[in-house]
Amino acid sequence: MAGTRIDVPLIHGLKIGEAVCKDAKLREATAGDVLEAQEAAERLMMVPTQNGVEPMLVVSPSRVGVEVLRRQIVSIGDVSGPLDLKLMHRLHPEDLNLLLAKSEQ
């Protein structure tokens, strides 16, 4: 995308109130987006070690991808990005996959 924005027509759209928003806009991810996404995807877990169990920060790669994507979303319909994670959960899987594929171009 190289600093540009791209329009992504969604297949199923995102229902917000009575409206179904089918027009999404993405922008290129920044280093800040990636760093924030990695931090948001960290979870403190108790991990077995040779000395018993110790706390460790564990990062979910799939969560990092979603966190970067939600920061890349400029808008879906009249809703400005970054898109709230609760709204991301409401996307149809086909639309989520479409947004992920376009964000990687």
Side-chain angles (χ1 to χ4, degrees):
M1 274 186 260
T4 62
R5 293 185 179 191
I6 184 171
D7 292 326
V8 182
L10 301 179
I11 299 165
H12 303 277
L14 179 63
K15 187 171 183 180
I16 301 173
E18 295 299 315
V20 178
C21 303
K22 291 192 172 185
D23 56 320
K25 293 187 187 331
L26 296 178
R27 64 167 175 77
E28 184 177 25
T30 65
D33 293 333
V34 174
L35 293 171
E36 288 174 6
Q38 288 174 336
E39 184 178 337
E42 290 177 344
R43 296 290 178 256
L44 184 62
M45 308 277 296
M46 298 304 287
V47 178
T49 65
Q50 291 179 342
N51 301 328
V53 178
E54 295 182 16
M56 181 181 295
L57 285 175
V58 178
V59 177
S60 165
S62 60
R63 179 71 186 263
V64 170
V66 169
E67 288 289 340
V68 171
L69 174 62
R70 74 180 204 84
R71 286 164 174 79
Q72 285 182 270
I73 295 174
V74 174
S75 64
I76 294 183
D78 292 335
V79 177
S80 296
L83 204 63
D84 184 85
L85 196 54
K86 289 180 182 180
L87 287 176
M88 294 287 291
H89 284 232
R90 291 174 36 197
L91 285 169
H92 189 280
E94 282 184 297
D95 287 337
L96 178 61
N97 288 334
L98 178 62
L99 289 168
L100 285 167
K102 291 291 185 180
S103 73
E104 292 173 5
Q105 288 182 349

Coordinates of all heavy atoms in Angstrom, one line a residue:
M1 N 0.8 -1.2 0.0 CA 0.0 0.0 0.0 C 0.9 1.3 0.0 O 0.4 2.3 -0.4 CB -0.9 0.0 1.2 CG -2.2 -0.7 0.9 SD -3.4 -0.6 2.3 CE -3.1 -2.1 3.1
A2 N 2.0 1.2 0.5 CA 3.0 2.3 0.4 C 2.4 3.7 0.7 O 2.5 4.6 -0.1 CB 3.7 2.2 -0.9
G3 N 1.9 3.8 1.9 CA 1.4 5.2 2.3 C 0.0 5.5 1.7 O -0.5 6.6 2.0
T4 N -0.6 4.7 1.0 CA -1.9 5.0 0.3 C -3.0 4.4 1.2 O -2.8 3.6 2.1 CB -1.9 4.4 -1.1 OG1 -1.8 3.0 -1.0 CG2 -0.8 5.0 -2.0
R5 N -4.2 4.8 0.8 CA -5.4 4.2 1.4 C -6.1 3.4 0.3 O -6.0 3.7 -0.9 CB -6.3 5.3 1.9 CG -5.7 6.0 3.1 CD -6.6 7.0 3.7 NE -5.9 7.6 4.8 CZ -6.5 8.4 5.7 NH1 -7.8 8.6 5.6 NH2 -5.9 8.9 6.7
I6 N -6.7 2.3 0.7 CA -7.4 1.4 -0.2 C -8.8 1.2 0.2 O -9.1 1.0 1.4 CB -6.6 0.1 -0.4 CG1 -7.2 -0.8 -1.4 CG2 -6.5 -0.6 0.9 CD1 -6.4 -2.0 -1.8
D7 N -9.7 1.3 -0.7 CA -11.1 1.0 -0.5 C -11.3 -0.5 -0.6 O -10.9 -1.2 -1.5 CB -12.0 1.7 -1.5 CG -12.0 3.2 -1.4 OD1 -11.9 3.7 -0.2 OD2 -12.1 3.9 -2.4
V8 N -12.1 -1.1 0.4 CA -12.3 -2.5 0.4 C -13.9 -2.7 0.5 O -14.4 -2.4 1.6 CB -11.6 -3.2 1.6 CG1 -11.9 -4.7 1.5 CG2 -10.1 -2.9 1.6
P9 N -14.5 -3.1 -0.5 CA -16.0 -3.4 -0.4 C -16.2 -4.7 0.3 O -15.6 -5.7 -0.1 CB -16.4 -3.4 -1.9 CG -15.2 -3.6 -2.7 CD -14.0 -3.2 -1.9
L10 N -16.9 -4.6 1.4 CA -17.2 -5.8 2.2 C -18.3 -6.6 1.6 O -19.2 -6.1 0.9 CB -17.5 -5.5 3.6 CG -16.5 -4.7 4.4 CD1 -17.0 -4.3 5.8 CD2 -15.1 -5.4 4.5
I11 N -18.2 -7.9 1.7 CA -19.2 -8.8 1.2 C -20.5 -8.8 2.0 O -21.6 -8.6 1.4 CB -18.7 -10.3 1.1 CG1 -17.5 -10.3 0.2 CG2 -19.8 -11.2 0.6 CD1 -16.6 -11.6 0.3
H12 N -20.4 -8.9 3.3 CA -21.6 -9.0 4.2 C -21.8 -7.7 4.9 O -22.9 -7.4 5.3 CB -21.4 -10.1 5.2 CG -21.2 -11.5 4.5 ND1 -22.2 -12.2 4.1 CD2 -20.1 -12.1 4.2 CE1 -21.8 -13.3 3.5 NE2 -20.5 -13.3 3.6
G13 N -20.8 -6.9 5.2 CA -20.9 -5.7 5.8 C -20.9 -5.8 7.3 O -21.0 -6.9 7.9
L14 N -20.9 -4.7 8.0 CA -20.9 -4.6 9.4 C -22.2 -3.8 9.8 O -22.3 -2.7 9.5 CB -19.7 -3.9 10.0 CG -19.6 -3.7 11.5 CD1 -19.5 -5.0 12.2 CD2 -18.3 -2.8 11.8
K15 N -23.1 -4.5 10.6 CA -24.3 -3.8 11.0 C -24.1 -3.0 12.2 O -23.6 -3.4 13.2 CB -25.4 -4.9 11.3 CG -26.7 -4.2 11.6 CD -27.9 -5.2 11.7 CE -29.2 -4.5 11.9 NZ -30.3 -5.3 12.0
I16 N -24.4 -1.7 12.0 CA -24.2 -0.7 13.1 C -25.5 0.0 13.2 O -25.9 0.8 12.3 CB -23.0 0.3 12.8 CG1 -21.7 -0.5 12.6 CG2 -22.9 1.3 13.9 CD1 -20.6 0.3 12.2
G17 N -26.3 -0.2 14.2 CA -27.6 0.3 14.4 C -28.5 -0.4 13.3 O -28.5 -1.6 13.2
E18 N -29.2 0.4 12.5 CA -30.0 -0.1 11.5 C -29.2 -0.3 10.1 O -29.7 -0.9 9.2 CB -31.2 0.7 11.3 CG -32.2 0.7 12.5 CD -32.7 -0.7 12.8 OE1 -33.1 -1.4 11.9 OE2 -32.7 -1.0 14.0
A19 N -28.1 0.4 10.1 CA -27.3 0.4 8.8 C -26.4 -0.7 8.7 O -25.8 -1.2 9.7 CB -26.5 1.7 8.7
V20 N -26.2 -1.2 7.5 CA -25.2 -2.2 7.2 C -24.1 -1.6 6.4 O -24.3 -1.1 5.2 CB -25.8 -3.4 6.4 CG1 -24.7 -4.4 6.1 CG2 -26.9 -4.1 7.2
C21 N -22.9 -1.4 7.0 CA -21.8 -0.7 6.3 C -21.0 -1.7 5.6 O -20.5 -2.6 6.1 CB -21.0 0.0 7.4 SG -21.9 1.1 8.4
K22 N -20.9 -1.4 4.3 CA -20.1 -2.3 3.4 C -18.9 -1.7 2.8 O -18.2 -2.3 2.0 CB -21.0 -2.8 2.3 CG -22.1 -3.8 2.8 CD -22.7 -4.5 1.6 CE -23.7 -5.6 2.2 NZ -24.2 -6.4 1.1
D23 N -18.6 -0.4 3.1 CA -17.4 0.3 2.5 C -16.4 0.5 3.6 O -16.6 1.2 4.6 CB -17.8 1.6 1.9 CG -18.5 2.5 2.8 OD1 -19.3 2.1 3.6 OD2 -18.2 3.7 2.8
A24 N -15.2 -0.2 3.5 CA -14.1 -0.1 4.4 C -13.0 0.6 3.7 O -12.8 0.5 2.5 CB -13.7 -1.5 4.9
K25 N -12.2 1.3 4.5 CA -11.0 1.9 4.0 C -9.8 1.5 4.9 O -9.9 1.5 6.1 CB -11.1 3.5 4.1 CG -12.1 4.0 3.1 CD -12.1 5.5 3.1 CE -13.2 6.2 2.3 NZ -13.7 5.5 1.2
L26 N -8.7 1.1 4.3 CA -7.5 0.7 5.0 C -6.4 1.6 4.7 O -6.4 2.2 3.6 CB -7.1 -0.7 4.6 CG -8.0 -1.9 4.9 CD1 -7.4 -3.2 4.4 CD2 -8.3 -2.0 6.4
R27 N -5.4 1.7 5.6 CA -4.2 2.4 5.3 C -3.0 1.5 5.6 O -3.2 0.4 6.3 CB -4.1 3.7 6.2 CG -4.0 3.4 7.7 CD -3.6 4.6 8.5 NE -3.7 4.4 9.9 CZ -2.8 3.7 10.6 NH1 -1.7 3.1 10.0 NH2 -2.9 3.5 11.9
E28 N -1.8 1.9 5.2 CA -0.6 1.1 5.5 C -0.4 1.1 7.0 O -0.5 2.1 7.7 CB 0.5 1.7 4.7 CG 1.8 0.9 4.9 CD 2.9 1.5 4.0 OE1 2.9 2.7 3.7 OE2 3.8 0.8 3.7
A29 N 0.1 -0.1 7.5 CA 0.5 -0.2 8.9 C 1.8 0.6 9.1 O 2.7 0.6 8.3 CB 0.6 -1.6 9.3
T30 N 1.9 1.2 10.3 CA 3.1 1.9 10.7 C 3.9 1.0 11.7 O 3.3 0.0 12.2 CB 2.8 3.2 11.3 OG1 2.1 3.0 12.6 CG2 2.0 4.1 10.4
A31 N 5.1 1.3 12.0 CA 5.9 0.6 13.0 C 5.2 0.8 14.3 O 5.1 -0.2 15.1 CB 7.3 1.2 13.1
G32 N 4.6 1.9 14.6 CA 3.9 2.1 15.8 C 2.7 1.2 16.0 O 2.4 0.7 17.0
D33 N 2.0 1.0 14.8 CA 0.9 0.0 14.8 C 1.3 -1.4 15.2 O 0.7 -2.0 16.0 CB 0.2 -0.1 13.4 CG -0.5 1.2 13.0 OD1 -0.9 2.0 13.9 OD2 -0.6 1.4 11.8
V34 N 2.4 -1.8 14.7 CA 2.9 -3.1 14.9 C 3.4 -3.3 16.4 O 3.0 -4.2 17.1 CB 4.1 -3.5 14.0 CG1 4.8 -4.8 14.4 CG2 3.6 -3.5 12.5
L35 N 4.1 -2.3 16.9 CA 4.5 -2.3 18.3 C 3.3 -2.3 19.3 O 3.3 -3.1 20.2 CB 5.4 -1.1 18.6 CG 6.8 -1.2 17.9 CD1 7.5 0.2 18.0 CD2 7.6 -2.3 18.3
E36 N 2.3 -1.5 19.0 CA 1.1 -1.4 19.8 C 0.4 -2.7 19.8 O -0.1 -3.2 20.8 CB 0.2 -0.3 19.4 CG 0.8 1.1 19.8 CD -0.1 2.2 19.3 OE1 -1.2 1.9 18.7 OE2 0.3 3.4 19.4
A37 N 0.3 -3.3 18.6 CA -0.4 -4.6 18.4 C 0.3 -5.7 19.2 O -0.4 -6.6 19.8 CB -0.5 -4.9 16.9
Q38 N 1.6 -5.7 19.1 CA 2.4 -6.8 19.8 C 2.1 -6.6 21.3 O 1.9 -7.6 22.0 CB 3.8 -6.7 19.5 CG 4.2 -7.2 18.1 CD 5.6 -7.0 17.8 OE1 6.3 -6.2 18.3 NE2 6.1 -7.8 16.8
E39 N 2.1 -5.4 21.8 CA 1.9 -5.2 23.3 C 0.4 -5.6 23.6 O 0.2 -6.2 24.7 CB 2.1 -3.7 23.6 CG 1.9 -3.4 25.1 CD 2.2 -2.0 25.4 OE1 2.9 -1.3 24.6 OE2 1.7 -1.5 26.5
A40 N -0.5 -5.3 22.8 CA -1.9 -5.6 23.1 C -2.2 -7.1 23.0 O -3.1 -7.6 23.7 CB -2.9 -4.9 22.0
A41 N -1.3 -7.9 22.3 CA -1.5 -9.3 22.1 C -0.7 -10.1 23.2 O -0.8 -11.3 23.2 CB -1.0 -9.7 20.8
E42 N -0.1 -9.4 24.1 CA 0.7 -10.1 25.2 C -0.3 -10.5 26.3 O -1.2 -9.8 26.7 CB 1.7 -9.2 25.8 CG 2.9 -8.9 24.9 CD 3.9 -7.9 25.6 OE1 3.6 -7.3 26.5 OE2 5.0 -7.9 25.1
R43 N 0.0 -11.7 26.8 CA -0.8 -12.2 28.0 C 0.2 -12.8 29.0 O 1.1 -13.5 28.6 CB -1.8 -13.3 27.6 CG -2.9 -12.8 26.7 CD -3.9 -11.9 27.4 NE -4.9 -11.4 26.5 CZ -4.9 -10.2 26.0 NH1 -4.0 -9.3 26.2 NH2 -5.9 -9.8 25.2
L44 N 0.0 -12.5 30.3 CA 0.8 -13.0 31.3 C 0.3 -14.4 31.6 O -0.9 -14.6 32.0 CB 0.8 -12.2 32.6 CG 1.7 -12.6 33.7 CD1 3.2 -12.6 33.3 CD2 1.5 -11.7 34.9
M45 N 1.2 -15.4 31.4 CA 0.8 -16.8 31.6 C 1.8 -17.4 32.6 O 2.9 -17.1 32.7 CB 0.9 -17.6 30.3 CG 0.1 -17.0 29.2 SD -1.6 -17.4 29.1 CE -1.6 -19.1 28.9
M46 N 1.3 -18.4 33.3 CA 2.1 -19.2 34.2 C 2.6 -20.4 33.3 O 1.8 -21.2 32.8 CB 1.4 -19.7 35.4 CG 0.9 -18.6 36.3 SD 2.2 -17.4 36.8 CE 3.0 -18.4 38.1
V47 N 3.9 -20.5 33.2 CA 4.5 -21.5 32.3 C 5.4 -22.4 33.0 O 6.2 -22.0 33.9 CB 5.4 -20.7 31.2 CG1 6.1 -21.7 30.3 CG2 4.5 -19.8 30.4
P48 N 5.2 -23.7 32.8 CA 6.1 -24.7 33.5 C 7.5 -24.6 33.1 O 7.8 -24.4 31.9 CB 5.5 -26.1 33.1 CG 4.3 -25.8 32.3 CD 4.2 -24.4 31.9
T49 N 8.4 -24.6 34.0 CA 9.9 -24.6 33.8 C 10.5 -25.7 34.6 O 9.9 -26.4 35.3 CB 10.5 -23.2 34.2 OG1 10.4 -23.0 35.6 CG2 9.8 -22.0 33.4
Q50 N 11.9 -25.8 34.4 CA 12.6 -26.8 35.2 C 12.5 -26.5 36.7 O 12.6 -27.4 37.5 CB 14.1 -26.8 34.8 CG 14.3 -27.3 33.4 CD 15.8 -27.2 33.0 OE1 16.6 -26.5 33.6 NE2 16.1 -28.0 32.0
N51 N 12.3 -25.2 37.1 CA 12.2 -24.9 38.5 C 10.8 -24.8 39.0 O 10.5 -24.2 40.1 CB 12.9 -23.5 38.7 CG 14.3 -23.6 38.3 OD1 15.0 -24.6 38.4 ND2 14.8 -22.5 37.8
G52 N 9.8 -25.3 38.3 CA 8.4 -25.2 38.7 C 7.6 -24.5 37.7 O 7.6 -24.8 36.5
V53 N 6.9 -23.4 38.1 CA 6.1 -22.6 37.2 C 6.4 -21.2 37.4 O 6.6 -20.7 38.6 CB 4.6 -22.8 37.6 CG1 3.7 -21.9 36.7 CG2 4.2 -24.3 37.5
E54 N 6.6 -20.5 36.3 CA 7.0 -19.1 36.4 C 6.1 -18.2 35.5 O 5.7 -18.7 34.4 CB 8.5 -18.9 35.9 CG 9.5 -19.6 36.8 CD 10.9 -19.4 36.4 OE1 11.2 -18.5 35.5 OE2 11.8 -20.1 36.8
P55 N 5.9 -17.0 35.8 CA 5.2 -16.1 34.9 C 6.0 -15.7 33.7 O 7.2 -15.5 33.8 CB 4.9 -14.8 35.8 CG 6.0 -14.9 36.9 CD 6.4 -16.3 37.1
M56 N 5.3 -15.6 32.6 CA 6.0 -15.3 31.3 C 5.0 -14.6 30.4 O 3.8 -14.9 30.4 CB 6.5 -16.6 30.6 CG 7.2 -16.3 29.3 SD 7.8 -17.8 28.5 CE 9.0 -18.4 29.7
L57 N 5.4 -13.5 29.7 CA 4.6 -12.9 28.7 C 4.6 -13.7 27.4 O 5.6 -14.0 26.9 CB 5.1 -11.5 28.4 CG 4.8 -10.4 29.5 CD1 5.5 -9.1 29.1 CD2 3.3 -10.2 29.7
V58 N 3.4 -14.1 27.0 CA 3.2 -14.9 25.8 C 2.4 -14.1 24.8 O 1.4 -13.4 25.1 CB 2.5 -16.2 26.1 CG1 2.2 -17.0 24.9 CG2 3.2 -17.0 27.2
V59 N 2.9 -14.0 23.5 CA 2.2 -13.3 22.5 C 1.5 -14.2 21.5 O 2.1 -15.2 21.1 CB 3.3 -12.4 21.7 CG1 2.6 -11.7 20.5 CG2 4.0 -11.5 22.6
S60 N 0.3 -13.9 21.2 CA -0.5 -14.7 20.2 C -0.3 -14.1 18.9 O -0.7 -12.9 18.6 CB -2.0 -14.6 20.6 OG -2.8 -15.0 19.5
P61 N 0.3 -14.8 17.9 CA 0.5 -14.3 16.6 C -0.8 -13.9 15.9 O -0.8 -12.9 15.2 CB 1.2 -15.4 15.8 CG 1.9 -16.2 16.9 CD 0.9 -16.1 18.1
S62 N -1.8 -14.7 16.1 CA -3.1 -14.4 15.4 C -3.7 -13.1 16.0 O -4.3 -12.3 15.2 CB -4.1 -15.5 15.5 OG -4.4 -15.8 16.8
R63 N -3.5 -12.9 17.3 CA -4.0 -11.7 17.9 C -3.3 -10.4 17.4 O -3.8 -9.4 17.2 CB -4.0 -11.8 19.4 CG -4.4 -10.6 20.2 CD -6.0 -10.4 20.1 NE -6.4 -9.2 20.8 CZ -6.8 -9.1 22.0 NH1 -6.9 -10.2 22.7 NH2 -7.2 -8.0 22.5
V64 N -1.9 -10.6 17.2 CA -1.1 -9.5 16.7 C -1.7 -9.1 15.3 O -1.8 -7.9 15.0 CB 0.4 -9.9 16.6 CG1 1.1 -8.8 15.8 CG2 1.0 -10.1 17.9
G65 N -2.0 -10.1 14.5 CA -2.5 -9.8 13.1 C -3.8 -9.0 13.2 O -4.0 -8.0 12.5
V66 N -4.7 -9.4 14.1 CA -6.0 -8.7 14.2 C -5.8 -7.3 14.8 O -6.4 -6.3 14.4 CB -7.0 -9.5 15.1 CG1 -8.2 -8.7 15.4 CG2 -7.4 -10.8 14.3
E67 N -4.9 -7.2 15.7 CA -4.6 -5.9 16.4 C -4.0 -4.9 15.4 O -4.3 -3.7 15.4 CB -3.7 -6.0 17.6 CG -4.4 -6.7 18.8 CD -5.4 -5.8 19.5 OE1 -5.3 -4.5 19.3 OE2 -6.2 -6.3 20.2
V68 N -3.1 -5.4 14.5 CA -2.5 -4.5 13.4 C -3.6 -4.1 12.5 O -3.8 -2.9 12.1 CB -1.4 -5.2 12.7 CG1 -1.0 -4.4 11.5 CG2 -0.2 -5.4 13.6
L69 N -4.5 -5.1 12.1 CA -5.5 -4.8 11.1 C -6.5 -3.7 11.7 O -6.8 -2.8 11.0 CB -6.3 -6.0 10.8 CG -7.6 -5.8 9.9 CD1 -7.2 -5.2 8.5 CD2 -8.3 -7.1 9.7
R70 N -6.9 -3.9 12.9 CA -7.9 -2.9 13.5 C -7.3 -1.5 13.5 O -8.0 -0.5 13.4 CB -8.4 -3.3 14.8 CG -7.6 -3.2 16.0 CD -8.3 -3.7 17.2 NE -7.7 -3.1 18.4 CZ -8.0 -1.9 18.9 NH1 -8.9 -1.2 18.3 NH2 -7.3 -1.5 20.0
R71 N -5.9 -1.4 13.6 CA -5.3 -0.1 13.6 C -5.2 0.5 12.1 O -5.1 1.6 11.9 CB -3.9 -0.2 14.2 CG -4.0 -0.3 15.7 CD -2.7 -0.7 16.4 NE -2.8 -0.7 17.8 CZ -3.4 -1.6 18.6 NH1 -4.0 -2.6 18.0 NH2 -3.4 -1.5 19.9
Q72 N -5.2 -0.5 11.1 CA -5.1 -0.1 9.7 C -6.4 0.4 9.2 O -6.5 1.1 8.2 CB -4.6 -1.2 8.9 CG -3.2 -1.6 9.0 CD -2.8 -2.7 8.1 OE1 -2.9 -3.9 8.5 NE2 -2.5 -2.4 6.8
I73 N -7.5 0.1 9.9 CA -8.8 0.4 9.4 C -9.1 1.9 9.6 O -9.1 2.4 10.8 CB -9.9 -0.4 10.1 CG1 -9.8 -1.9 9.7 CG2 -11.3 0.1 9.7 CD1 -10.7 -2.8 10.4
V74 N -9.2 2.7 8.5 CA -9.5 4.1 8.6 C -10.9 4.3 8.9 O -11.3 5.1 9.8 CB -9.1 4.8 7.3 CG1 -9.5 6.2 7.3 CG2 -7.6 4.6 7.0
S75 N -11.8 3.5 8.3 CA -13.2 3.6 8.6 C -13.9 2.4 8.0 O -13.4 1.7 7.0 CB -13.8 4.9 8.0 OG -13.7 4.9 6.6
I76 N -15.1 2.1 8.6 CA -16.1 1.2 8.0 C -17.4 2.0 8.0 O -17.9 2.2 9.1 CB -16.2 -0.2 8.7 CG1 -14.9 -1.0 8.5 CG2 -17.4 -1.0 8.1 CD1 -14.9 -2.4 9.1
G77 N -17.9 2.3 6.9 CA -19.0 3.2 6.9 C -18.7 4.5 7.5 O -17.7 5.1 7.3
D78 N -19.5 5.0 8.5 CA -19.3 6.2 9.2 C -18.5 6.0 10.5 O -18.2 7.0 11.2 CB -20.7 6.9 9.6 CG -21.4 7.3 8.3 OD1 -20.8 7.6 7.3 OD2 -22.7 7.4 8.4
V79 N -18.1 4.8 10.8 CA -17.3 4.5 12.0 C -15.8 4.7 11.7 O -15.3 4.0 10.8 CB -17.6 3.1 12.5 CG1 -16.8 2.8 13.7 CG2 -19.1 2.9 12.8
S80 N -15.2 5.6 12.4 CA -13.8 5.8 12.2 C -12.9 4.8 12.9 O -13.3 4.3 14.0 CB -13.4 7.2 12.7 OG -14.1 8.2 11.9
G81 N -11.8 4.5 12.4 CA -10.8 3.6 13.0 C -10.0 4.3 14.0 O -10.0 5.5 14.1
P82 N -9.2 3.6 14.8 CA -9.1 2.1 14.7 C -10.4 1.5 15.2 O -11.0 2.1 16.1 CB -7.9 1.8 15.7 CG -7.7 3.0 16.5 CD -8.2 4.2 15.8
L83 N -10.8 0.4 14.6 CA -12.0 -0.2 14.9 C -11.9 -0.9 16.3 O -10.9 -1.5 16.6 CB -12.3 -1.3 13.9 CG -13.8 -1.6 13.7 CD1 -14.6 -0.4 13.3 CD2 -13.9 -2.7 12.7
D84 N -12.9 -0.7 17.1 CA -13.0 -1.4 18.4 C -13.0 -2.9 18.2 O -13.6 -3.4 17.3 CB -14.2 -0.9 19.1 CG -14.4 -1.5 20.5 OD1 -13.8 -0.8 21.4 OD2 -15.0 -2.5 20.7
L85 N -12.3 -3.6 19.1 CA -12.2 -5.1 19.0 C -13.6 -5.7 19.1 O -13.8 -6.7 18.4 CB -11.3 -5.6 20.1 CG -10.8 -7.1 20.0 CD1 -10.1 -7.3 18.6 CD2 -9.9 -7.4 21.1
K86 N -14.5 -5.1 19.8 CA -15.9 -5.7 19.8 C -16.6 -5.6 18.5 O -17.3 -6.5 18.1 CB -16.8 -4.9 20.9 CG -16.4 -5.2 22.3 CD -17.2 -4.5 23.3 CE -16.7 -4.8 24.7 NZ -17.5 -4.1 25.7
L87 N -16.3 -4.5 17.7 CA -16.8 -4.4 16.4 C -16.1 -5.4 15.4 O -16.8 -6.0 14.6 CB -16.7 -3.0 15.8 CG -17.6 -2.0 16.4 CD1 -17.3 -0.6 15.9 CD2 -19.1 -2.4 16.2
M88 N -14.8 -5.6 15.7 CA -14.1 -6.6 14.8 C -14.7 -8.0 15.0 O -14.9 -8.8 14.0 CB -12.6 -6.7 15.2 CG -11.8 -5.5 15.0 SD -11.5 -5.2 13.2 CE -10.3 -6.5 12.9
H89 N -15.2 -8.3 16.2 CA -15.8 -9.6 16.5 C -17.1 -9.8 15.7 O -17.5 -10.9 15.5 CB -16.0 -9.8 18.0 CG -14.8 -10.1 18.8 ND1 -14.7 -11.2 19.6 CD2 -13.6 -9.5 18.8 CE1 -13.5 -11.2 20.2 NE2 -12.8 -10.2 19.7
R90 N -17.8 -8.7 15.4 CA -19.0 -8.8 14.7 C -18.9 -8.9 13.2 O -19.9 -9.1 12.5 CB -19.9 -7.5 15.0 CG -20.3 -7.5 16.5 CD -21.0 -6.3 17.0 NE -21.8 -5.6 16.0 CZ -22.3 -4.4 16.1 NH1 -21.9 -3.7 17.2 NH2 -23.0 -3.9 15.2
L91 N -17.7 -8.8 12.7 CA -17.5 -9.0 11.2 C -17.8 -10.4 10.8 O -17.4 -11.3 11.6 CB -16.1 -8.6 10.8 CG -15.7 -7.1 10.8 CD1 -14.2 -7.0 10.6 CD2 -16.4 -6.4 9.7
H92 N -18.3 -10.6 9.7 CA -18.4 -12.0 9.1 C -17.0 -12.5 8.8 O -16.2 -11.7 8.4 CB -19.3 -11.9 7.8 CG -19.7 -13.2 7.3 ND1 -18.8 -14.0 6.6 CD2 -20.8 -13.9 7.4 CE1 -19.4 -15.1 6.2 NE2 -20.7 -15.1 6.8
P93 N -16.8 -13.8 9.0 CA -15.4 -14.3 8.7 C -14.9 -14.0 7.3 O -13.7 -13.7 7.1 CB -15.6 -15.8 8.9 CG -16.7 -15.9 9.9 CD -17.7 -14.8 9.6
E94 N -15.8 -14.0 6.3 CA -15.4 -13.7 4.9 C -14.9 -12.3 4.8 O -13.9 -12.0 4.1 CB -16.5 -13.9 3.9 CG -16.8 -15.3 3.6 CD -17.8 -15.5 2.5 OE1 -19.0 -15.1 2.8 OE2 -17.5 -16.0 1.4
D95 N -15.6 -11.3 5.5 CA -15.2 -9.9 5.5 C -13.8 -9.8 6.2 O -13.0 -9.0 5.8 CB -16.2 -9.0 6.1 CG -17.4 -8.9 5.2 OD1 -17.3 -9.0 3.9 OD2 -18.5 -8.5 5.7
L96 N -13.7 -10.4 7.4 CA -12.4 -10.4 8.1 C -11.3 -10.9 7.2 O -10.2 -10.3 7.2 CB -12.5 -11.2 9.4 CG -11.3 -11.2 10.2 CD1 -10.8 -9.8 10.7 CD2 -11.4 -12.2 11.4
N97 N -11.5 -12.0 6.6 CA -10.4 -12.6 5.7 C -10.1 -11.7 4.6 O -9.0 -11.5 4.2 CB -10.8 -14.0 5.2 CG -10.8 -15.0 6.3 OD1 -10.0 -14.9 7.3 ND2 -11.6 -16.1 6.2
L98 N -11.1 -11.0 4.0 CA -10.9 -10.0 2.9 C -10.1 -8.9 3.4 O -9.1 -8.5 2.7 CB -12.3 -9.6 2.4 CG -12.3 -8.5 1.3 CD1 -11.7 -9.1 0.0 CD2 -13.7 -8.1 1.0
L99 N -10.4 -8.3 4.6 CA -9.7 -7.2 5.1 C -8.2 -7.6 5.4 O -7.3 -6.9 5.1 CB -10.3 -6.7 6.4 CG -11.6 -5.9 6.2 CD1 -12.3 -5.7 7.5 CD2 -11.4 -4.6 5.5
L100 N -8.0 -8.8 6.0 CA -6.7 -9.3 6.3 C -5.9 -9.5 5.0 O -4.7 -9.1 4.9 CB -6.7 -10.6 7.0 CG -7.1 -10.6 8.5 CD1 -7.4 -11.9 9.0 CD2 -6.0 -9.9 9.3
A101 N -6.5 -10.0 3.9 CA -5.8 -10.2 2.6 C -5.4 -8.9 2.0 O -4.3 -8.7 1.5 CB -6.7 -11.0 1.7
K102 N -6.4 -7.9 2.0 CA -6.1 -6.6 1.5 C -5.0 -5.9 2.3 O -4.2 -5.1 1.7 CB -7.3 -5.7 1.4 CG -8.3 -6.2 0.4 CD -7.9 -6.0 -1.0 CE -8.9 -6.4 -2.0 NZ -8.5 -6.3 -3.4
S103 N -5.0 -6.1 3.6 CA -4.0 -5.4 4.4 C -2.6 -5.9 4.1 O -1.6 -5.2 4.4 CB -4.3 -5.5 5.9 OG -4.1 -6.8 6.4
E104 N -2.5 -7.1 3.7 CA -1.2 -7.7 3.4 C -0.6 -7.3 2.0 O 0.5 -7.6 1.7 CB -1.2 -9.2 3.6 CG -1.5 -9.6 5.0 CD -1.7 -11.1 5.2 OE1 -1.6 -11.9 4.2 OE2 -2.0 -11.5 6.3
Q105 N -1.4 -6.8 1.2 CA -1.0 -6.4 -0.2 C -0.1 -5.2 -0.2 O -0.1 -4.4 0.6 CB -2.2 -6.1 -1.1 CG -3.0 -7.3 -1.4 CD -4.2 -6.9 -2.4 OE1 -4.5 -5.8 -2.6 NE2 -4.8 -7.9 -2.9

